[in-house]
Amino acid sequence: MAASVERTARPLTIGAVCRRLKDEFPDISISKIRYLEDQGLISPQRTESGYRLFAEQDLERLRTVLRMQRDEFLPLRVIRDELDSPAVSRRRERRGSNTPENLRESTEPRLTLEQLCERAGVTPAFARELEDYGLIARMADSAGDGYLEPDADIAALCARLLRYNLEPRNLRAFRNGAAREASLIEQAVTAGMRSRNPERRQAALDELSTLAGLSTELSRLLFYRALRPTVSGT
């Protein structure tokens, strides 16, 4: 056991880091890791001969950066600022439970309006405006009455977008687009989800998770392609 702990704590080379991340981020490369270092997102140690050595906390920070790029479409400058925000760090600790499978669980705890505002760092008036435009939703069922955990993350993101003069009424396009994508994916797994066979239902849940990931990646790529004329000035 001691030997295993020692191996885990040993610094990783950039090649080892790349291999550790490959399953979750298939397009990761050594050159991309070096670029993120050049941009100040990570700061691995250097040996006297100049080789990079990554501690476990460096690996986790890199994984967070890559997830923020992939899942939230954030530019590197914003990611750098976000990583220095304690409030954002607390939200990310909770985000691990917001998988497609867990979002379907009726037993997920509910947040009051006050709890949502505290976690998201927004005012009740702003939260109600988000609800008016369908960006967050108060739920009432057998599990209770209130907001789901992801609603706090959504409210926090909308508050950040407000800094760029994107008001809740401007964000309905995101809601509508997400609803259309979700409907399309649900159609692909509906039969399996309704099956009486537990193994078939579990397979459908696995498919839902896979499809959600693929849909997110496709949306990200199409989003950046659409922005390319703006970036290039053409």
Side-chain angles (χ1 to χ4, degrees):
M1 179 65 69
S4 176
V5 172
E6 183 180 350
R7 284 196 297 271
T8 302
R10 186 177 301 163
L12 302 169
T13 64
I14 192 170
V17 167
C18 202
R19 290 191 293 273
R20 289 273 292 269
L21 296 172
K22 203 71 174 179
D23 287 344
E24 184 175 358
F25 308 99
D27 62 342
I28 191 66
S29 65
I30 289 176
S31 61
K32 183 170 185 177
I33 296 174
R34 288 172 176 164
Y35 175 73
L36 294 175
E37 180 187 2
D38 291 340
Q39 297 300 308
L41 275 301
I42 52 174
S43 301
Q45 294 182 350
R46 294 287 190 119
T47 66
E48 293 183 359
S49 55
Y51 289 102
R52 297 170 178 83
L53 291 178
F54 293 77
E56 285 295 327
Q57 56 265 35
D58 296 319
L59 176 62
E60 288 308 310
R61 182 180 173 93
L62 178 56
R63 184 177 281 116
T64 299
V65 170
L66 295 171
R67 285 173 177 167
M68 291 172 78
Q69 277 190 303
R70 180 192 65 191
D71 300 339
E72 300 178 37
F73 318 116
L74 298 178
L76 296 182
R77 174 182 57 80
V78 175
I79 292 176
R80 190 163 48 241
D81 293 340
E82 288 294 298
L83 288 175
D84 295 330
S85 169
V88 172
S89 297
R90 288 193 296 271
R91 287 198 299 273
R92 295 191 187 288
E93 289 175 1
R94 300 193 306 273
R95 186 164 292 157
S97 63
N98 295 340
T99 60
E101 296 89 336
N102 291 334
L103 292 177
R104 300 182 68 90
E105 293 293 330
S106 62
T107 57
E108 189 174 357
R110 303 291 190 262
L111 302 175
T112 65
L113 177 62
E114 292 74 18
Q115 289 172 326
L116 180 141
C117 292
E118 180 181 0
R119 296 189 182 189
V122 301
T123 65
F126 184 73
R128 292 190 183 97
E129 187 177 3
L130 294 177
E131 189 167 2
D132 288 342
Y133 286 107
L135 294 162
I136 62 175
R138 191 179 188 94
M139 298 185 64
D141 55 25
S142 59
D145 181 12
Y147 303 91
L148 296 178
E149 288 275 357
D151 285 326
D153 295 325
I154 292 170
L157 285 171
C158 290
R160 293 212 314 269
L161 288 168
L162 185 62
R163 302 173 195 167
Y164 300 91
N165 298 319
L166 291 174
E167 299 179 4
R169 60 186 175 83
N170 304 128
L171 303 178
R172 286 178 294 180
F174 291 91
R175 179 206 64 188
N176 295 338
R180 287 194 295 269
E181 289 180 22
S183 177
L184 183 63
I185 290 174
E186 286 178 355
Q187 289 177 25
V189 298
T190 295
M193 296 294 294
R194 292 178 177 175
S195 173
R196 296 182 179 181
N197 186 321
E199 293 183 357
R200 181 67 188 96
R201 287 199 302 272
Q202 183 57 52
L205 278 174
D206 293 340
E207 291 174 4
L208 177 63
S209 181
T210 299
L211 286 170
L214 292 172
S215 175
T216 299
E217 180 65 10
L218 177 60
S219 296
R220 183 183 71 85
L221 293 173
L222 292 173
F223 178 80
Y224 281 118
R225 189 182 70 176
L227 281 180
R228 185 168 298 171
T230 302
V231 174
S232 63
T234 59

